[in-house]
Amino acid sequence: TVEMRPAIVQLKTPTEIVKQLKGIKTDAKVRLVKGGKLIRCEYGEVLFCDYGLSGPPILQVSGAAVKAQKAVISLDLIPEKSLEALTNELCERIKLLKSRSTDEFFTGIMNKRLGQVIIKSAGYRLNTPVSSLDNSSAKKIASLIKDFRFNITGNTGFINSQVTSGGLDTEQFDPKTMMSRNYKGLYAIGEILDIDGDCGGFNLQWAWSSALCAAESIAGE
């Protein structure tokens, strides 16, 4: 058998930042990275929870994240703009909003609470004039928006996962009949085998398709 792990599951992260963002949803490009290497990339609505991250793109990368171990989630919160374009836009905002407070710097761009966390995470104080920021500040903040990182510390477990990764080794079963190559009359279908797919009904389809193969094989004996 192949080690079983939860997949399509919420991911846990250090809670200092996510607790401040609990309940916020935002569209983002989600990159799963380990040792500087991109493992998987998805786009969609990310949900911040008090324990970590959820939402469709997080669930999509979660299986690979659980297998990878010690991986990192990198969120690009404004993926439609390049780092250079975003930096230039923030430089302009600093000029236009110089009399306002940094609390309001991201008004119209992103959720207010998320914007405030970005400001603080970049090392700047809230409740100070936007004029306290400069072009180097804009670049630093833009870089954080394009690569907002969270270490993965775990997941919410099998009880919350939608599917199981791992299971019986597929090489031990005939893919046309789903019968064991070693034990005649023994069949395995669906999730008990080491096959898991993305969100979107793929795992259900695999369960039905493998069951049909096994049923036809049994009926034909």
Side-chain angles (χ1 to χ4, degrees):
T1 61
V2 178
E3 181 182 356
M4 291 187 291
R5 305 180 179 93
I8 310 185
V9 65
Q10 301 89 348
L11 296 176
K12 292 182 178 181
T13 71
T15 59
E16 180 182 357
I17 289 178
V18 292
K19 280 187 174 180
Q20 298 176 64
L21 300 172
K22 180 181 178 181
I24 292 175
K25 296 180 180 179
T26 187
D27 289 337
K29 180 184 287 186
V30 176
R31 292 186 293 254
L32 178 66
V33 181
K34 182 177 180 181
K37 181 181 179 182
L38 178 64
I39 298 174
R40 184 162 181 181
C41 182
E42 294 287 338
Y43 175 82
E45 190 176 68
V46 174
L47 171 64
F48 293 97
C49 307
D50 56 2
Y51 57 79
L53 302 169
S54 186
I58 297 296
L59 298 181
Q60 291 283 51
V61 306
S62 63
V66 174
K67 288 180 183 177
Q69 300 181 347
K70 296 183 179 179
V72 173
I73 289 290
S74 169
L75 301 182
D76 182 346
L77 300 171
I78 305 183
E80 65 274 15
K81 295 183 185 294
S82 67
L83 175 59
E84 182 180 4
L86 181 58
T87 300
N88 291 337
E89 182 176 327
L90 296 185
C91 286
E92 287 301 311
R93 286 183 73 84
I94 289 172
K95 295 176 185 176
L96 294 171
L97 306 176
K98 58 184 178 181
S99 62
R100 295 196 182 184
S101 168
T102 50
D103 297 52
E104 303 176 273
F105 185 63
F106 285 109
T107 300
I109 293 182
M110 64 174 64
N111 176 279
K112 182 177 181 180
R113 195 153 31 112
L114 177 57
Q116 292 175 345
V117 167
I118 291 292
I119 291 288
K120 290 191 294 183
S121 297
Y124 301 103
R125 295 175 58 189
L126 299 177
N127 299 314
T128 58
V130 170
S131 58
S132 64
L133 304 177
D134 56 21
N135 288 353
S136 64
S137 305
K139 185 174 182 179
K140 187 175 182 180
I141 294 169
S143 296
L144 186 58
I145 290 172
K146 298 292 289 181
D147 187 12
F148 197 26
R149 293 197 165 210
F150 296 85
N151 292 325
I152 300 170
T153 59
N155 60 80
T156 57
F158 283 108
I159 194 169
N160 293 299
S161 68
Q162 296 181 29
V163 67
T164 298
S165 172
L168 297 178
D169 189 343
T170 55
E171 292 185 1
Q172 303 302 314
F173 292 83
D174 186 330
K176 294 182 179 179
T177 65
M178 309 312 300
M179 186 169 73
S180 168
R181 299 184 191 276
N182 301 318
Y183 302 97
K184 185 176 181 180
L186 175 64
Y187 294 81
I189 62 172
E191 204 169 327
I192 197 172
L193 289 159
D194 179 26
I195 293 179
D196 61 282
D198 288 341
C199 301
F202 298 104
N203 294 289
L204 288 172
Q205 183 60 57
W206 162 242
W208 298 326
S209 297
S210 58
L212 179 62
C213 289
E216 289 180 341
S217 177
I218 293 169
E221 290 183 353

